[in-house]
């Protein structure tokens, strides 16, 4: 016979009530202005960043909602130069194959304005690489159980991580070398942890450049019914 289900344990909500509309507008505007300055950065300085800031940003990412509250994420922080070098070499090898045959012509045409190619020097220059893993299953009482909505959960957590790092004055890049299995091997992660995204973190160089991209307008992204 299966065990009885646990009962919900409900506690009072801790919540910051902001009922003043002027204050609400100021806050939502401030956050928009701030996040609208976030850009994917490829030109990094090697200037050091206190680990404490990375830790707090990861704690912030860990506040994300997740399916059945399973928190299906692991953030591996790499600061070791040798490990970064291994990651760069493996990523560039995969990326070379991608740019020279695996990606479709349509895809390459889309990427052309971004100026990306198989060379990834930022993987060695940025002071930290955060590799986010998605935990796709766990072991409970000797049995394997899937996590639920793990793609969505980890995606939300990564969004919060990028926002927290940007808010702390740090630049990031959502890098997805493909295939990413090599990260599991180099970083010695178990099979149930699947690489999700690799995020270099640091300060941009003084003369960092980014593509001249435009964001969609509100009318283009929102529909009211
Ligand atoms: N992973 C490759 C290719 C790439 C793919 C997309 I979609 C981008 O928005 C940018 C790059 C790379 O990192 O270069």
């Amino acid at each position: 016979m299966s065990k009885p289900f646990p009962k919900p344990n409900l506690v009072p909500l801790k919540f910051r009530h902001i009922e003043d509309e002027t204050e609400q507008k100021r806050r939502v505007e401030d956050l928009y202005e701030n996040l609208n300055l976030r850009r994917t950065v490829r030109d990094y300085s090697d200037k050091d960043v206190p680990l404490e800031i990375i830790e707090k940003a990861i704690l912030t990412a860990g506040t994300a909602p997740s399916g059945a509250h399973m928190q299906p994420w692991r953030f591996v922080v790499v600061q070791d130069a040798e490990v970064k070098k291994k990651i760069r070499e493996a990523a560039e090898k995969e990326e070379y194959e991608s740019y020279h045959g695996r990606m479709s012509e349509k895809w390459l045409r889309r990427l052309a304005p971004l100026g990306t190619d198989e060379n990834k020097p930022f993987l060695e220059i940025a002071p930290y690489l955060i590799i986010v893993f998605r935990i796709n299953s766990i072991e409970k009482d000797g049995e394997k159980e899937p996590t639920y909505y793990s793609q969505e959960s980890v995606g939300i957590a990564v969004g919060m991580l990028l926002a927290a790092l940007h808010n702390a004055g740090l630049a990031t890049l959502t890098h997805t070398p493909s295939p990413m299995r090599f990260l599991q091997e180099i970083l010695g992660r178990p099979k149930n942890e699947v690489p999700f995204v690799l995020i270099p973190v640091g300060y941009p160089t003084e003369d960092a450049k980014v593509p001249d991209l435009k964001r969609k307008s509100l009318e283009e992204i929102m529909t009211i019914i």
Side-chain angles (χ1 to χ4, degrees):
M1 207 181 76
S2 66
K3 282 192 292 178
F5 290 149
K7 296 225 161 6
N9 179 23
L10 302 180
V11 295
L13 170 70
K14 285 187 198 141
F15 193 79
R16 218 183 255 179
H17 292 271
I18 307 164
E19 273 141 34
D20 177 41
E21 264 184 41
T22 316
E23 177 65 4
Q24 285 182 308
K25 284 181 191 158
R26 195 185 63 73
R27 282 174 176 253
V28 78
E29 178 65 27
D30 274 5
L31 186 62
Y32 167 67
E33 294 289 338
N34 186 355
L35 288 185
N36 197 27
L37 286 173
R38 187 205 54 78
R39 292 298 310 263
T40 287
V41 171
R42 293 189 165 79
D43 301 328
Y44 286 88
S45 126
D46 61 1
K47 183 171 145 63
D48 207 10
V49 171
L51 183 61
E52 223 185 303
I53 297 179
I54 305 294
E55 289 173 343
K56 197 48 67 88
I58 290 173
L59 267 181
T60 305
T63 69
S66 62
H69 191 55
M70 291 180 83
Q71 308 171 80
W73 39 65
R74 171 163 303 274
F75 302 88
V76 177
V77 178
V78 176
Q79 49 180 352
D80 183 281
E82 276 307 305
V83 178
K84 284 193 215 164
K85 185 160 182 262
K86 273 193 199 155
I87 291 177
R88 177 184 179 180
E89 283 169 1
E92 286 184 337
K93 207 164 139 217
E94 292 296 355
E95 293 291 84
Y96 181 89
E97 295 303 325
S98 296
Y99 279 91
H100 296 87
R102 283 203 292 235
M103 290 194 274
S104 65
E105 194 189 321
K106 277 201 177 93
W107 191 352
L108 290 170
R109 195 173 297 283
R110 281 277 168 196
L111 294 185
L114 305 181
T116 59
D117 60 26
E118 69 272 22
N119 299 305
K120 307 295 176 193
F122 49 75
L123 293 175
E124 282 192 87
I125 300 170
Y128 294 102
L129 305 177
I130 304 179
I131 298 87
V132 185
F133 287 84
R134 176 178 67 86
I135 299 175
N136 65 8
S137 66
I138 60 159
E139 285 257 317
K140 192 157 188 269
D141 307 328
E143 271 187 68
K144 193 167 149 172
E145 184 187 357
T147 53
Y148 306 98
Y149 295 97
S150 62
Q151 300 277 4
E152 292 83 350
S153 306
V154 178
I156 296 167
V158 168
M160 293 173 66
L161 178 64
L162 299 178
L165 292 166
H166 173 76
N167 190 48
L170 294 170
T172 55
L173 160 58
T174 38
H175 179 41
T176 50
S178 172
M180 277 199 278
R181 282 270 155 191
F182 68 87
L183 291 168
Q184 219 172 15
E185 285 148 33
I186 294 176
L187 301 170
R189 300 313 307 167
K191 284 217 162 34
N192 64 334
E193 295 188 11
V194 183
F196 189 79
V197 69
L198 192 175
I199 308 175
V201 184
Y203 296 99
T205 56
E206 293 281 334
D207 60 352
K209 298 254 185 318
V210 291
D212 185 18
L213 305 179
K214 302 277 175 286
R215 292 193 161 122
K216 287 184 177 177
S217 67
L218 185 61
E219 292 66 37
E220 290 172 290
I221 64 172
M222 175 173 143
T223 303
I224 313 186
I225 293 169

